[in-house]
Amino acid sequence: MSVVPAPAELRLKRGEDKRLRAGHLWVFSNEVDTGLTPLTAFAPGALCRVIGDRDHFIGYAYVNPHALICARILGRDAHHPPGKSLLVHRLQVALALRERLYATPFYRLAHGESDGLPGLVLDRYGDVIVGQVATAGMEALKAEVVAALEQVIAPRAVVWKNDSGARDLEGLPSYVETALGEAPAEVEVVENGVRFRVPVGAGQKTGWFYDQAANRAAFLKYVPGLRVLDVFSYLGGWGLSAARAGASGVTCVDSSAPALELLQATADDNGLAVEVRRGDAFDVL
């Protein structure tokens, strides 16, 4: 039986392990003992074992020798190197947390380091997953991520929306691709009583800004009877919600014509009256 060699070591300078042992997941390039373990010896995305200056194991991480954050911790059990089983476990935990908070399967399923998955964002639209990878290490694990999603959620489609500018910092190319199934051009998200049209592959980021959903809901208690200006409106998450909540007038401004077309279509679908303007925010301020 063949033996899989252990990942290479990435050794830290004296005293540079305190933050990591306290739970932080990032290793900065100036913390590495490059005399013992040169960063240039690692390929972007390579798995490594992070070792403190007193030879103790800190965790498994993936490396990018060209980035300031040169390594990101994925796991701390020396006997279980990261792979599909770890991804399945992390996604199961993330799913359980979301199912406690949301009645329907529309949410940010994985949010990078907060879910133990550095460099990975996964947004769920029912049985469609739109993901974004921001690091070379997670790029190398894309196939394992899709396999883990199939096991945990069994989506009908998985789309990689990997066109963020953050990828430039990791030396990664920009692209959008369907990794599983056949993705629809649009999905529907219901928020604050409004049924939004959300583009799957052509929208901003992963299509919808789920991370602002709680803020949008909290905002609505202030808007009844008032005029609302929604700048950088994108699909109108704030403005259309305000219109539904009783604002006396709503103006939505964005530079993207396709986004404003969808915003207007959503307003029409929901019977909401809003003013839609294309341009920069300074055009109306």
Side-chain angles (χ1 to χ4, degrees):
M1 185 175 72
S2 61
V3 178
V4 178
E9 293 182 353
L10 184 71
R11 288 189 166 265
L12 302 180
K13 296 176 182 176
R14 182 178 179 180
E16 298 291 1
D17 61 341
K18 294 179 181 178
R19 181 175 45 79
L20 296 168
R21 287 192 289 111
H24 205 280
L25 301 180
W26 293 355
V27 179
F28 293 93
S29 57
N30 61 358
E31 297 171 333
V32 175
D33 188 335
T34 54
L36 292 175
T37 54
L39 281 169
T40 53
F42 293 90
L47 187 67
C48 74
R49 289 176 295 137
V50 180
I51 307 295
D53 66 289
R54 286 182 262 182
D55 294 330
H56 57 284
F57 175 83
I58 295 173
Y60 287 104
Y62 57 65
V63 184
N64 189 338
H66 308 303
L68 175 62
I69 304 170
C70 67
R72 300 172 191 249
I73 302 289
L74 283 171
R76 297 181 184 272
D77 187 335
H79 302 293
H80 294 92
K84 180 190 170 186
S85 61
L86 176 69
L87 295 171
V88 167
H89 173 68
R90 296 277 165 83
L91 288 176
Q92 286 173 334
V93 172
L95 177 62
L97 290 171
R98 272 61 176 185
E99 288 181 335
R100 290 177 60 186
L101 296 172
Y102 302 99
T104 58
F106 291 82
Y107 42 69
R108 178 148 294 174
L109 173 63
H111 201 172
E113 281 81 353
S114 62
D115 288 300
L117 296 166
L120 179 66
V121 167
L122 297 172
D123 279 357
R124 185 177 186 183
Y125 303 93
D127 57 2
V128 176
I129 302 292
V130 181
Q132 192 165 79
V133 168
T135 58
M138 200 55 73
E139 182 84 4
L141 291 172
K142 279 194 316 175
E144 287 87 346
V145 171
V146 174
L149 283 168
E150 288 188 273
Q151 183 171 331
V152 175
I153 292 177
R156 70 181 170 99
V158 176
V159 176
W160 288 119
K161 187 70 165 51
N162 287 335
D163 56 0
S164 167
R167 289 172 61 88
D168 296 341
L169 300 174
E170 293 269 322
L172 297 172
S174 177
Y175 63 89
V176 177
E177 69 177 18
T178 300
L180 176 71
E182 186 173 341
E186 294 178 12
V187 290
E188 185 178 82
V189 172
V190 180
E191 187 177 299
N192 301 317
V194 181
R195 308 181 78 86
F196 290 91
R197 295 188 185 189
V198 178
V200 171
Q204 295 179 17
K205 301 290 182 70
T206 46
W208 186 247
F209 291 84
Y210 278 126
D211 54 332
Q212 292 296 318
N215 290 333
R216 286 190 290 265
F219 159 73
L220 298 182
K221 65 184 178 183
Y222 301 107
V223 306
L226 301 179
R227 296 171 59 203
V228 173
L229 174 62
D230 183 3
V231 295
F232 312 106
S233 61
Y234 183 40
L235 302 177
W238 297 82
L240 294 181
S241 294
R244 173 67 77 205
S248 62
V250 174
T251 300
C252 295
V253 181
D254 200 274
S255 62
S256 168
L260 291 178
E261 288 176 9
L262 278 176
L263 189 159
Q264 186 64 66
T266 294
D268 295 341
D269 292 344
N270 289 270
L272 299 173
V274 297
E275 180 185 2
V276 177
R277 294 191 193 180
R278 185 182 180 191
D280 189 273
F282 294 105
D283 294 337
V284 294
L285 295 179

